[in-house]
Amino acid sequence: MAEETNGAAPQQAPAVKMNVLSQYIRDMSFENILARKPATGNVQPDMKVQVALDAKKRDGGNQYEVMLKLTITSNNKESGDALFLMELEYVGLFHIEGVPDDQLHPFLLIECPRMLFPFARRIVSDVTRDGGFPPLNLETIDFVQLYRAEIQRRAAAQQAAAADTLAN
């Protein structure tokens, strides 16, 4: 049985359109600390990866700049000595249409980094290999969980600030 719409056509959400206009390395550094002072004994690397995201609207149209920043440190598990440090700021320029305003922030910080990540992962792998280490193949990042954790962190920080204001 068909539903009646009283003559009005059902409203459809506008189709979401996302185009990657360009992507580039904004900043990158790789410090091969092991090459300056070779490690002695057994080297067991301990990797730590930090991820930061940023997004901002560009002048003109529906263009946005999204940055994926990776900070990777590798230390020797036994001695704690640093092996290498890598920092990568990878940026994508996106043209986005059809995303409601209330959903734009999560879209920019979840979907756009998801598009950029495979390229950043490849750069990390190549640079670590070229630096004399086994290629580092980063695990897939759950950008949804990362976004939720950041929202919770900001909410906790706001509550702490409000409590400090009331206490003073």
Side-chain angles (χ1 to χ4, degrees):
M1 183 186 327
E3 290 184 34
E4 278 191 41
T5 58
N6 295 332
Q11 285 191 344
Q12 292 184 358
V16 173
K17 288 177 37 180
M18 175 174 69
N19 295 327
V20 181
L21 302 176
S22 68
Q23 41 189 321
Y24 59 93
I25 297 171
R26 175 182 289 160
D27 189 24
M28 183 178 75
S29 69
F30 181 79
E31 296 178 42
N32 187 341
I33 300 160
L34 184 61
R36 291 187 295 212
K37 57 174 194 166
T40 57
N42 191 15
V43 176
Q44 292 290 324
D46 180 28
M47 303 285 186
K48 290 188 176 58
V49 179
Q50 294 177 318
V51 181
L53 302 171
D54 189 27
K56 60 184 173 185
K57 186 167 178 50
R58 293 183 52 132
D59 293 336
N62 297 317
Q63 293 185 8
Y64 299 87
E65 179 181 285
V66 178
M67 183 200 50
L68 169 62
K69 181 175 182 179
L70 300 171
T71 304
I72 304 161
T73 56
S74 177
N75 295 314
N76 188 347
K77 282 183 183 178
E78 288 184 7
S79 66
D81 293 340
L83 302 175
F84 72 81
L85 169 65
M86 180 175 183
E87 295 178 327
L88 172 65
E89 288 184 8
Y90 196 72
V91 176
L93 301 177
F94 295 87
H95 180 87
I96 300 171
E97 292 180 17
V99 177
D101 288 342
D102 63 332
Q103 296 174 13
L104 186 60
H105 188 257
F107 187 88
L108 290 172
L109 295 179
I110 295 171
E111 296 305 322
C112 294
R114 220 180 258 169
M115 298 290 290
L116 297 175
F117 181 72
F119 301 98
R121 179 189 346 218
R122 173 72 187 269
I123 293 166
V124 169
S125 177
D126 289 349
V127 169
T128 54
R129 184 198 63 232
D130 293 347
F133 295 91
L136 176 58
N137 188 24
L138 296 174
E139 294 290 325
T140 302
I141 297 171
D142 184 352
F143 289 104
V144 173
Q145 180 59 34
L146 191 65
Y147 181 79
R148 288 178 181 155
E150 179 62 16
I151 294 299
Q152 289 174 349
R153 186 196 65 77
R154 287 183 184 187
Q158 286 178 345
Q159 288 176 349
D164 286 345
T165 303
L166 292 176
N168 292 332

